[in-house]
Amino acid sequence: MSLFAFAGALESGLLFSLVALGVFLSFRVLDFPDLTVDGSFPLGAAVAAAALASGVDPFLATGFAIVAGWGAGLVTALLNVRFGIMNLLSGILTMVALFSINLRIMGGPNVPLYNVDTVFDVAQSWFDFGLWTNTVLIAIVAFAAKFLVDWFLKTELGLALRASGENPAMAEAQGIAVGRMALVGMAISNGLVALAGALFAQLQGVADVSMGIGTIVTGLAALIIGEAILGRRMVFVATLGCIVGALVYRLFIALSLSAGFIGIQPQDLNLVTAIVVAIAVVLSKGRAQRNRRRAGMTPRRAPAAKRAG
């Protein structure tokens, strides 16, 4: 694999770690299987691209994309919380609707960004690391998002969010508005995904209505791979696993495509993804079983009265 391909894999991995963080919040923290991701990713790209094409500042355009992602997450949560539509179907409905909305925002199937300044162009005026400039900027954004999620989940609101996903009945008994927590969590989750879409469009130089296909699979793959490698006992480790998993996944894909003797073609990416996710799930379950066996084999300490006797 060439150095250029390696840098591209790192950039892509760090970008999709934002998607993995969003998926972590919805799937793991809220226990909400959210398919909105396949629509909110191109939504972020569409909003950022349309704003940039209109002459808006790149960072402001990216902020608009995050707000649009919040809105998409809120719609999905509202369909579930307010109207009682099952969570999986709520995400599908929002995802389908976003396809048409994205076409409306862009005024067509795609918007090229070759003649406008992006956040990466601005970053090059701040620091220049040559081939690694874009990688450094995306790494800063990814780790900033990771630490913000860590901080948020330790706040009172974040703890309420975690309790709502872990045990909704108990959370309600403690006075936590579970529905409101779903709204907050889904908004933040899809905001992160839309941010990834906005940066991806600016990195690639084009926003396309179909660029979100398979995003949820990539995010889940990164999440599961990260959990298989680092586990998920602590929030800090779980969010770090999102970044590690996304990097490992994209590097594996890049290595597979560059290894010509294997015979893998670009059209085989979905097959490779399915195999990687299946292996990660098997490894994760094996690790959990080993941990349970170890916990069961740990000798219990005798009661204090018996030890004293």
Side-chain angles (χ1 to χ4, degrees):
M1 182 169 56
S2 66
L3 186 62
F4 183 80
F6 178 72
L10 287 181
E11 292 172 4
S12 183
L14 289 167
L15 266 176
F16 279 97
S17 68
L18 295 171
V19 177
L21 284 171
V23 172
F24 166 74
L25 286 174
S26 58
F27 274 75
R28 288 290 184 249
V29 177
L30 279 176
D31 194 23
F32 195 116
D34 180 30
L35 296 184
T36 314
V37 171
D38 278 12
S40 55
F41 185 83
L43 173 65
V47 170
L52 287 169
S54 300
V56 176
D57 177 80
F59 291 97
L60 186 59
T62 304
F64 288 159
I66 297 174
V67 173
W70 290 347
L74 284 174
V75 169
T76 299
L78 279 172
L79 289 174
N80 174 248
V81 174
R82 181 67 64 181
F83 300 103
I85 301 175
M86 64 179 294
N87 48 24
L88 190 63
L89 182 57
S90 298
I92 293 174
L93 291 174
T94 307
M95 176 188 67
V96 172
L98 284 175
F99 185 85
S100 297
I101 292 173
N102 292 336
L103 285 172
R104 285 277 188 175
I105 293 172
M106 293 189 293
N110 54 65
V111 174
L113 298 175
Y114 299 119
N115 298 319
V116 298
D117 288 334
T118 66
V119 293
F120 299 102
D121 297 318
V122 177
Q124 286 182 349
S125 65
W126 294 347
F127 51 82
D128 186 5
F129 295 100
L131 179 64
W132 307 103
T133 301
N134 293 346
T135 307
V136 171
L137 176 61
I138 300 171
I140 292 173
V141 174
F143 278 96
K146 177 248 188 302
F147 289 122
L148 282 173
V149 170
D150 290 346
W151 168 81
F152 170 73
L153 291 178
K154 292 179 181 178
T155 63
E156 184 176 351
L157 181 61
L159 291 172
L161 188 74
R162 294 163 64 182
S164 299
E166 187 70 27
N167 194 327
M170 181 63 71
E172 284 187 349
Q174 297 297 320
I176 297 174
V178 175
R180 190 177 300 171
M181 293 302 103
L183 292 172
V184 172
M186 291 297 292
I188 297 174
S189 170
N190 284 278
L192 288 168
V193 175
L195 170 61
L199 293 177
F200 188 77
Q202 294 176 71
L203 183 66
Q204 298 296 316
V206 64
D208 191 272
V209 71
S210 63
M211 65 192 303
I213 297 175
T215 303
I216 183 63
V217 177
T218 302
L220 279 173
L223 176 63
I224 294 171
I225 291 171
E227 290 177 352
I229 295 174
L230 299 180
R232 53 188 176 104
R233 295 182 183 179
M234 300 169 53
V235 170
F236 178 87
V237 175
T239 53
L240 181 61
C242 293
I243 298 177
V244 172
L247 288 171
V248 170
Y249 171 73
R250 296 307 304 183
L251 287 172
F252 181 83
I253 294 295
L255 284 171
S256 300
L257 291 176
S258 63
F261 63 90
I262 299 178
I264 295 177
Q265 301 296 326
Q267 60 264 30
D268 300 324
L269 283 180
N270 287 341
L271 174 62
V272 173
T273 298
I275 294 173
V276 171
V277 172
I279 293 173
V281 170
V282 171
L283 291 176
S284 181
K285 285 188 174 181
R287 179 175 181 171
Q289 290 175 355
R290 287 194 299 271
N291 289 338
R292 283 196 296 268
R293 282 197 293 267
R294 289 173 184 171
M297 293 172 61
T298 302
R300 296 183 179 179
R301 297 181 62 185
K306 291 185 178 180
R307 289 200 305 270

